[in-house]
């Protein structure tokens, strides 16, 4: 009998984390759970402990560690804070670490996982946006394989199987365009928080849902693709495709194009990532192209979606500039979620931060951490 693989899921109470646990549950006995982690939702974490019997869990702080102990009747290890996430990620028993944390919080646990584990399934794109050069260098050094969970990058990975890197002419990331695709931005009272949270195709955590409405999500995915596939900016295009059926495409030097298609269902890229390079049989609803009948594609409007233009700009500047736009975006989106700023202010604040914070050409990890803190504090002051 094949031995069970140990999988740790950082961010197990989130949208990706819970779907990953559903996939694992459907697979029966293929995996044993290493660590799980929660930030605010310790009640859900307690339920996950009862169901999946992990080796350990990570919570936000010492108080929650005491609290969770009262909620469970098993003796799993209880860790807390960022140090706890790093310890969980560095447990040598892990065969796979799935990083489904949101924002910059993924950076240090991912780096620690790379040093100790051969397979990292990375959903947390902000880690590559903030510290892509350092993460990819470390992965090379420790021979750790970074497998993208993000549907577009997962699609490209699927298209590249059996292909040589020199055969790639360009990759094309598709974008749904989010809830505001066909809504004009000027003087529009409909750019409300409620409307921004209603994504037409995907049900996701609140932060990435707002990033989709501003299209900063696609900007981050450009940066993510650059690092994952080691391609120059000129080789990565974006196409708006509102149906979200074609998840991304690769154009090759002979003019041939490969695409990966499927219903918008994150369980598919999650299962592909955690089972890579094998496929596991699932009975998710099948794609019915005859029923869909029509697929649309067009270029994004960079004047309207200023966040996407800012991501292109930051990519061009390089250095720590992507760390800056990520940190400013995290603060601005959080403020929008708390109704402290308007939708269109998100891009404005990011632009101010990008123009004000010092650019460092070849940032070290310490520079990246410092840039993140400095930009957050700058943007918070700006908003308050
Ligand atoms: P969620 O907000 O749904 O989940 C985030 C998870 O991280 C939760 O477990 C949350 O805990 C935990 N968390 C939040 N803040 C912190 C923190 N500061 N420190 C430690 N843990 C924290 O996000 P998603 O699952 O939607 O997204 C996760 C990542 O995957 C993001 O980077 C996103 O861009 C990416 N992604 C998501 C997709 C999706 O379909 N959802 C698709 C493609 C990429 P708690 O809930 O207990 O507070
Ligand atoms: Mg995506």
């Amino acid at each position: 009998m094949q031995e069970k693989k140990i999988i740790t899921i950082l961010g197990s109470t989130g949208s990706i984390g819970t779907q990953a646990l559903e996939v694992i549950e459907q697979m029966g006995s293929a995996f044993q759970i290493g660590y799980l982690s929660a930030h605010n939702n310790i009640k859900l974490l307690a339920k996950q402990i009862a169901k999946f019997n992990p080796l350990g869990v990570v919570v936000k702080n010492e108080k929650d560690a005491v609290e969770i102990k009262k909620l469970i009747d098993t003796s799993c290890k209880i860790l807390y804070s960022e140090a706890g996430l790093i310890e969980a990620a560095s447990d040598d028993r892990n065969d796979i670490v799935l990083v489904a944390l949101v924002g910059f919080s993924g950076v240090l646990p991912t780096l620690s996982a790379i040093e100790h584990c051969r397979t990292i399934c990375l959903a947390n794109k902000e880690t590559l946006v903030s510290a892509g050069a350092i993460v990819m260098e470390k992965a090379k050094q420790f021979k750790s394989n970074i497998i993208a969970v993000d549907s577009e990058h997962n699609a490209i990975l699927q298209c590249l199987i059996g292909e040589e890197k020199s055969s790639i002419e360009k990759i094309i990331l598709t974008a749904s365009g989010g809830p505001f695709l066909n809504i004009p931005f000027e003087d529009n009272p409909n750019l409300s928080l409620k409307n921004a949270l209603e994504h037409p195709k995907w049900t996701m955590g609140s932060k990435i849902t707002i990033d989709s409405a501003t299209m900063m999500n696609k900007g981050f995915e450009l940066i993510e693709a650059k690092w994952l596939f080691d391609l120059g900016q000129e080789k990565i295009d974006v196409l708006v495709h509102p149906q979200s059926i074609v998840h991304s495409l690769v154009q090759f030097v002979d003019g041939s194009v490969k695409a990966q298609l499927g219903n918008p269902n994150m369980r598919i890229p999650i299962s592909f990532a955690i089972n890579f390079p094998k496929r596991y049989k699932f009975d998710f609803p099948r794609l019915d192209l005859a029923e869909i009948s029509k697929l649309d594609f067009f270029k994004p409007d960079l004047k309207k979606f200023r966040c996407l233009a800012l991501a292109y700009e930051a990519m061009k500047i390089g250095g720590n500039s992507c760390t800056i736009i990520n940190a400013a975006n995290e603060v601005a989106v959080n403020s929008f979620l708390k109704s402290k700023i308007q939708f269109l202010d998100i891009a404005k604040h990011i632009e101010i931060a990008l123009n004000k914070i010092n650019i460092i050409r070849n940032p070290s990890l310490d520079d990246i951490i410092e840039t993140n803190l400095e930009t957050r504090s700058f943007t918070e002051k700006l908003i308050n």
Side-chain angles (χ1 to χ4, degrees):
M1 207 178 79
Q2 216 181 343
E3 238 181 88
K4 285 186 184 193
K5 281 192 175 169
I6 298 188
I7 182 167
T8 277
I9 304 175
L10 303 181
S12 64
T13 49
S15 161
I16 293 289
T18 50
Q19 292 182 85
L21 284 171
E22 278 173 39
V23 166
I24 288 166
E25 195 184 0
Q26 281 189 39
M27 289 182 61
S29 56
F31 289 100
Q32 181 188 337
I33 302 295
Y35 292 79
L36 298 174
S37 90
H39 198 55
N40 291 315
N41 200 347
I42 61 167
K43 280 200 178 127
L44 177 57
L45 184 67
K47 285 189 191 153
Q48 293 179 343
I49 295 170
K51 192 163 184 180
F52 294 98
N53 193 24
L55 300 174
V57 293
V58 190
V59 292
K60 186 158 69 176
N61 50 34
E62 199 171 357
K63 183 176 143 276
D64 285 353
V66 174
E67 205 54 41
I68 194 98
K69 214 166 190 161
K70 291 184 204 153
L71 297 175
I72 59 174
D73 51 15
T74 56
S75 60
C76 76
K77 191 167 180 176
I78 298 170
L79 304 168
Y80 61 88
S81 75
E82 188 177 60
L85 289 169
I86 293 170
E87 188 178 333
S90 65
D91 190 312
D92 288 318
R93 288 172 294 179
N94 291 325
D95 293 298
I96 300 176
V97 176
L98 167 58
V99 186
L101 300 166
V102 64
F104 195 87
S105 70
V107 172
L108 296 182
T110 302
L111 287 170
S112 159
I114 289 170
E115 288 179 15
H116 296 270
C117 183
R118 298 299 285 275
T119 306
I120 315 299
C121 295
L122 190 60
N124 176 241
K125 67 191 85 186
E126 295 94 334
T127 280
L128 286 174
V129 173
S130 304
I134 289 164
V135 168
M136 295 316 288
E137 185 54 42
K138 185 153 270 199
K140 208 162 145 192
Q141 185 191 346
F142 286 87
K143 297 191 171 58
S144 175
N145 196 10
I146 299 195
I147 303 172
V149 173
D150 210 349
S151 58
E152 296 76 3
H153 308 73
N154 193 278
I156 291 165
L157 177 67
Q158 297 193 38
C159 294
L160 288 179
I161 290 172
E163 303 287 353
E164 281 171 15
K165 187 167 174 244
S166 59
S167 304
I168 306 171
E169 197 160 74
K170 65 175 178 181
I171 61 178
I172 303 155
L173 303 173
T174 53
S176 71
F180 295 151
L181 179 63
N182 298 315
I183 293 179
F185 274 4
E186 294 319 314
D187 302 321
N188 195 329
N190 295 322
L191 303 175
S192 65
L193 176 58
K194 182 177 168 288
N195 291 343
L197 284 170
E198 273 166 20
H199 197 282
K201 293 289 166 195
W202 300 94
T203 308
M204 312 180 281
S206 56
K207 195 257 178 186
I208 184 177
T209 303
I210 303 304
D211 287 346
S212 299
T214 62
M215 283 194 79
M216 183 55 103
N217 182 50
K218 212 47 56 180
F220 285 168
E221 290 181 356
L222 278 166
I223 303 163
E224 184 185 11
K226 165 190 147 89
W227 293 117
L228 281 172
F229 304 109
D230 188 26
L231 293 172
Q233 188 167 345
E234 70 293 347
K235 288 195 169 186
I236 314 170
D237 274 358
V238 172
L239 260 190
V240 177
H241 165 47
Q243 291 90 354
S244 295
I245 294 297
V246 176
H247 296 305
S248 277
L249 313 90
V250 182
Q251 182 175 305
F252 295 96
V253 287
D254 59 357
S256 176
V257 177
K258 274 195 197 173
Q260 187 264 340
L261 287 74
N263 287 323
N265 175 0
M266 280 310 294
R267 291 169 190 83
I268 299 174
I270 291 170
S271 76
F272 185 77
I274 67 175
N275 289 299
F276 184 81
K278 293 199 172 137
R279 288 185 191 270
Y280 191 87
K281 183 174 165 44
F282 284 99
D283 49 13
F284 303 131
R286 297 311 193 227
L287 179 63
D288 184 345
L289 281 176
E291 194 192 332
I292 295 163
S293 91
K294 187 169 165 281
L295 298 175
D296 299 299
F297 301 92
F298 44 90
K299 288 203 180 299
D301 180 346
L302 291 181
K303 278 210 180 95
K304 176 177 172 182
F305 291 102
R306 183 72 195 128
C307 282
L308 180 54
L310 286 168
Y312 272 110
E313 212 172 300
M315 241 175 128
K316 210 160 155 188
I317 302 168
N320 61 342
S321 56
C322 294
T323 320
I324 298 171
I325 62 163
N326 178 70
N329 181 63
E330 276 188 44
V331 172
V333 169
N334 195 28
S335 301
F336 176 64
L337 285 169
K338 291 180 178 156
S339 300
K340 281 194 196 166
I341 60 170
Q342 304 287 313
F343 181 75
L344 295 177
D345 294 335
I346 298 174
K348 286 182 194 156
H349 291 308
I350 298 167
E351 186 159 11
I352 297 172
L354 185 59
N355 289 326
K356 278 278 158 44
I357 306 291
N358 273 346
I359 300 293
I360 304 169
R361 282 281 133 230
N362 286 304
S364 64
L365 180 58
D366 284 344
D367 293 331
I368 298 280
I369 293 170
E370 182 51 36
T371 301
N372 174 56
L373 291 174
E374 187 190 345
T375 310
R376 278 169 184 276
S377 135
F378 173 84
T379 315
E380 268 156 20
K381 275 190 203 133
L382 199 67
I383 288 170
N384 292 325

